[in-house]
Structures are given as C-alpha cells and as structure tokens.
Amino acid sequence: MTKQYGTPADDWAGKAVETMLKREPEVNLKGKWEYEDGLMLNGVMDVYERTKDQRYLEYIKHFFDTYIDDDGNVKGYDPELFRLDDINNGKVLLKLYFITKDPKYKLVLDRLFDQLQKQPRTPSDLFWHKKSYPNQVWLDGIYMGDVFYAEYLHYFVQGPDFTDVIHQFTKSYDIALDKHTGLCYHAVDESKEMYWANKENGHSPHFWLRSIGWYVMAMTDVLEYLPEDNPGRQQILTNLRNLLDALRKVADPATNLWYQIPDEGDRPMNYLESSGSLMILNAIAKSLRMGYLENQEDWQAFLKKGWENALQQFISITNEGYVNVNKIAHVGGLGGPNHRDGSFAYYMSEPIVVNDHKGTGPFIMLANEMRAYY
C-alpha cells in the first residue's frame, strides 16, 4: 500500500500556495518577464480572492514590483519582439491594479494593450504568435494575448467593440480544427512555408495536450467579458463545448486524464502529462461553475474522477511538507533554433520536469475550483 498524501477534500490550493511562499519567495530567479509566472500567480490570486490572506497578495505584488518601475517600464519586456507570451502577465496585473490602484500598473497595462494594437497579423487577420514566427497562429497565444485583450476593452474602453477579440477566437478554431477528431492542432502556419507545416492547410503534425489546455482555458475565461447577446460569444461557447466533448473522447478512461499526444494514448513512450490535464480539468471546473456546460451532473462526475486521479498521478509531498507537481512537459514548440519539427519523437524528447509554473499554476487554479465539491 503506497503512502497517501491526503484526501481530495483537502485544501490543496492553500497547501500549494503556502509551498510557493516558502520554496519560491522570489518567483523568477532568472529575472525574466515570463508568461508561466503570471499563470502561477493567477492561481495565487484565485486563492487570495477566496481566503483574503494578505500574504498571498503581497507575494503577487512583490513579484511585479521587482519588474516595474514608477514610470511603468518593465524589466525584460521588449514590445518590439511582439511576443504574445509577454502579454499573459497582464491578466493578474490587472487584478492587482484594481486592488491597489497603483498608477504604475496601469501604465504597464496600457503598454501591453498597445502591443496588441500593433501586433503583426496573418492573412486571415489573426495575431502572429511572435515577430520571429511570421504568419504562425499557436493555440498557446490565444490564452496569452486574447483574454487580456477582452479584459482591457471591458474595463478601460468606453462602449467596447469585441469584434476583433471574437475573431481571434473563432477564426483560430476554424483553421486549427481537425473535423475528424474535433481536436485542434497545436499551430497553423498560414504561409504553409515552415518545414513542420502541412502544405495543404498549414497544420502542425500533431495535437499537443498543453496547447489544447491553454485554448480551452482561454475560451472559458473570455466568455465572462463578452456581451451575452453577441452571437460571437455563442459561437465561442459552442466551440468550447465541442472541443471539451472531443477531449473527453480521447481521455484515458481509467483516470480521466490525458496523454502528451492526446489521441495516441496507446503509443509507446506517450505518457499522462500533468500541465495539460490540469488545464483541461480547470476549464471544465470553471465552465461548470459558470453554467457553460450542459449535462452538468455527468460532467461533474467526470471532473471529480479526473481530480482524484490527478492527485494520485501528479502530486507528491516532500519531507518539508511542500507540494510537488510532477510529470510536466517542460516545453513544447515548433521551429526555432533547435529545429523543432512537431513530430511524435519531438514531443517525447522534451524533458519531463517537476514544479514548473506551467504545471503549478493550473494545479492551484483547479484545486481552488474543487473546493466547491467537498
């Protein structure tokens, strides 16, 4: 009998945030402005909003104050690189701004929004993932840039027009969708010139779990900010439901979790991957809370089984009592100096790591959502 680290009813979100405060008092020792830090701090903010523990708010504030000066300049951020990844930290910063009303945070929010206004676009009018990846649309980038886009319009623009936000979501779904499985490919090169791109449709070679995790979280998050009577909002909701249904069909039936390459679970070397699985479960949990999903009882049962297995498959506790999030794919990309070709062999070759913020963030968010079930 293996040692049990706790029960599904424990406050795992609180345990994980306490771990972050003790184990990582400085969120980023490299001094880089990185999207995964914002992802993790979004989880901490969720727990702060539930508990009102001021230490959690100070932890978030300390991170941003190490990067942002009084003039709103951000250490490590270069808007001329046009990386959608750089926008992601703006989501938790926006919440921090409304709590503190510190004007330097608003200056940063304005600069992030200004980047989106100038972001290069593909022929179908979608944002490039970054300047160095011309005409490429990645599912990851929708989460990084387009939820913030909607939030900024909602809070700071009089009579906001969400047409472009909706287009970023609906058109990316249309061009990335595989009609046979209902899943979406990791990326699309609209120029069809990259060595990894399908010459007919620009698709990357495989579905990648975490990219779909980013995508369903993005759709779940953006719906909050779109007017309910807007037909584009209804289309995003339909797309979200369809994609979650497709994901459910390829989930590992024993655990309700997902493989790194989600539609090839029986292929040797493939493995249950934590970050993407936690993201998808988090999207399901939030969608249930917000009333986005039909057949609620059925989805709740699926979610609880996935949560309980996620704890067994991915979570361990150290001798100090720290929460470890295991089985995280370190990175997954296409192109670049390492010639990442999007093959199955490529996705299996990337290191599997522990406590990367791309895994701890979704774990904290999901664990916080699961407080409603126990």
Side-chain angles (χ1 to χ4, degrees):
M1 213 39 200
T2 55
K3 178 181 178 181
Q4 294 295 307
Y5 292 116
T7 74
D10 293 349
D11 186 359
W12 286 96
K15 287 184 182 182
V17 173
E18 290 293 332
T19 295
M20 299 308 300
L21 266 61
K22 296 185 182 100
R23 185 165 58 200
E24 299 184 30
E26 299 299 328
V27 169
N28 191 318
L29 295 175
K30 296 175 287 184
K32 291 186 176 181
W33 180 254
E34 294 186 306
Y35 65 89
E36 52 262 55
D37 299 334
L39 176 71
M40 184 274 290
L41 292 172
N42 260 310
V44 178
M45 181 63 82
D46 286 350
V47 182
Y48 166 73
E49 290 174 339
R50 171 169 64 87
T51 65
K52 296 297 186 266
D53 189 319
Q54 289 299 307
R55 294 176 303 135
Y56 302 165
L57 185 64
E58 285 302 316
Y59 185 66
I60 298 167
K61 189 175 185 300
H62 174 71
F63 167 78
F64 283 107
D65 288 346
T66 61
Y67 282 83
I68 299 169
D69 69 19
D70 289 340
D71 296 321
N73 299 305
V74 182
K75 182 174 67 174
Y77 169 54
D78 180 359
E80 295 301 313
L81 296 175
F82 291 109
R83 297 185 300 209
L84 288 180
D85 289 345
D86 290 338
I87 305 295
N88 187 59
N89 292 350
K91 288 181 277 190
V92 67
L93 181 62
L94 189 148
K95 288 186 174 182
L96 184 63
Y97 168 69
F98 281 121
I99 294 168
T100 65
K101 295 297 193 295
D102 190 326
K104 71 181 181 183
Y105 300 152
K106 177 61 164 57
L107 291 172
V108 177
L109 298 173
D110 293 343
R111 286 177 176 167
L112 295 174
F113 183 73
D114 183 63
Q115 178 191 316
L116 290 178
Q117 299 306 291
K118 298 172 180 174
Q119 191 79 7
R121 293 173 180 249
T122 70
S124 61
D125 211 25
L126 297 174
F127 293 141
W128 289 11
H129 189 63
K130 60 177 74 172
K131 185 177 180 180
S132 59
Y133 293 163
N135 291 302
Q136 294 176 34
V137 180
W138 294 24
L139 300 186
D140 321 30
I142 307 299
Y143 182 84
M144 303 303 166
D146 293 325
V147 179
F148 174 81
Y149 191 4
E151 289 176 333
Y152 188 97
L153 291 172
H154 174 80
Y155 288 113
F156 299 122
V157 175
Q158 189 91 22
D161 181 354
F162 292 100
T163 303
D164 191 37
V165 173
I166 290 167
H167 176 74
Q168 299 296 323
F169 277 86
T170 56
K171 186 63 177 178
S172 62
Y173 181 85
D174 290 345
I175 66 171
L177 179 66
D178 174 64
K179 292 184 171 63
H180 176 66
T181 62
L183 299 173
C184 291
Y185 285 95
H186 183 176
V188 181
D189 172 20
E190 288 198 24
S191 73
K192 307 180 182 64
E193 293 177 356
M194 286 297 291
Y195 49 83
W196 52 257
N198 183 303
K199 298 311 174 191
E200 292 182 11
N201 51 35
H203 289 163
S204 57
H206 279 282
F207 311 114
W208 178 45
L209 183 64
R210 188 159 68 227
S211 70
I212 303 176
W214 291 122
Y215 201 41
V216 290
M217 286 204 306
M219 288 193 274
T220 304
D221 288 348
V222 81
L223 290 169
E224 288 183 71
Y225 302 99
L226 303 178
E228 293 217 6
D229 60 353
N230 189 308
R233 182 185 186 277
Q234 183 57 48
Q235 186 60 58
I236 295 171
L237 178 57
T238 298
N239 294 348
L240 172 63
R241 289 171 175 168
N242 289 341
L243 187 47
L244 289 176
D245 284 341
L247 283 164
R248 190 163 170 175
K249 289 174 184 171
V250 296
D252 170 43
T255 61
N256 289 1
L257 303 171
W258 288 268
Y259 284 85
Q260 165 81 329
I261 301 299
D263 61 325
E264 299 187 24
D266 57 353
R267 188 166 175 178
M269 293 183 65
N270 209 356
Y271 60 96
L272 293 176
E273 198 277 332
S274 64
S275 67
S277 293
L278 295 165
M279 287 176 179
I280 295 164
L281 291 173
N282 178 55
I284 293 168
K286 181 172 180 179
S287 293
L288 283 166
R289 173 167 59 83
M290 300 296 290
Y292 297 154
L293 295 179
E294 298 160 333
N295 305 315
Q296 291 251 333
E297 288 186 9
D298 189 40
W299 272 112
Q300 286 173 0
F302 180 90
L303 170 66
K304 286 185 73 173
K305 179 179 173 180
W307 165 244
E308 291 167 9
N309 281 299
L311 289 172
Q312 293 184 23
Q313 293 288 330
F314 303 142
I315 304 304
S316 56
I317 303 290
T318 71
N319 287 339
E320 307 103 310
Y322 294 165
V323 175
N324 277 358
V325 183
N326 302 279
K327 299 183 184 176
I328 304 166
H330 186 222
V331 291
L334 296 159
N338 294 331
H339 202 81
R340 299 174 296 183
D341 64 359
S343 64
F344 182 87
Y346 161 68
Y347 287 110
M348 294 306 114
S349 75
E350 288 290 5
I352 302 169
V353 298
V354 179
N355 297 330
D356 187 289
H357 292 170
K358 295 184 286 291
T360 55
F363 177 69
I364 296 169
M365 292 183 204
L366 171 62
N368 198 58
E369 291 283 354
M370 296 310 297
R371 300 302 302 141
Y373 291 89
Y374 297 93

